[in-house]
Amino acid sequence: MSATPVSRLLHGLFSLTVFLSAALLFQIQPLMSKLILPWFGGSAAVWTACMIFFQMALLLGYVYAHWLHALPPRRQAIVHSALLVISLTVLPVLPGAKWKPTDA
């Protein structure tokens, strides 16, 4: 059974989307960790905490995808579009001076 051109195009689009999202995640993860590492002493424990945070965020993303899959397609689109708009409001992703720990 051969795939239709439309299903082949959708398969390629989904594959590209998954690859792009993974590339962005693994681009932002070390970048953010490197930027805030000196603020907290630069030890291996700080790097490990950053990696655990981003891995937990990835796990929560999987939970979100699993939860979203249970909704009807129209509601999936609404929820995902709303979260996309909310995420765009916090761009660019750079740590600010108020994130730095105080000397207390």
Side-chain angles (χ1 to χ4, degrees), residues 52-64:
I52 288 173
F53 170 79
F54 280 106
Q55 292 302 311
M56 288 304 297
L58 180 63
L59 181 64
L60 287 175
Y62 290 144
V63 170
Y64 163 73

Side-chain angles (χ1 to χ4, degrees), residues 5-21:
V6 173
S7 67
R8 209 174 292 158
L9 178 67
L10 281 176
H11 181 71
L13 183 62
F14 289 147
S15 299
L16 180 67
T17 302
V18 169
F19 176 77
L20 182 62
S21 64

Side-chain angles (χ1 to χ4, degrees), residues 70-89:
L71 298 177
R74 181 169 170 80
R75 188 161 298 181
Q76 287 179 16
I78 292 169
V79 170
H80 199 65
S81 297
L83 286 176
L84 181 63
V85 168
I86 291 169
S87 69
L88 291 175
T89 62

Side-chain angles (χ1 to χ4, degrees), residues 26-46:
F26 292 111
Q27 182 68 28
I28 289 176
Q29 178 180 353
L31 176 72
M32 291 295 289
S33 299
K34 257 180 112 171
L35 286 172
I36 67 170
L37 194 62
W39 297 354
F40 296 96
S43 69
V46 176

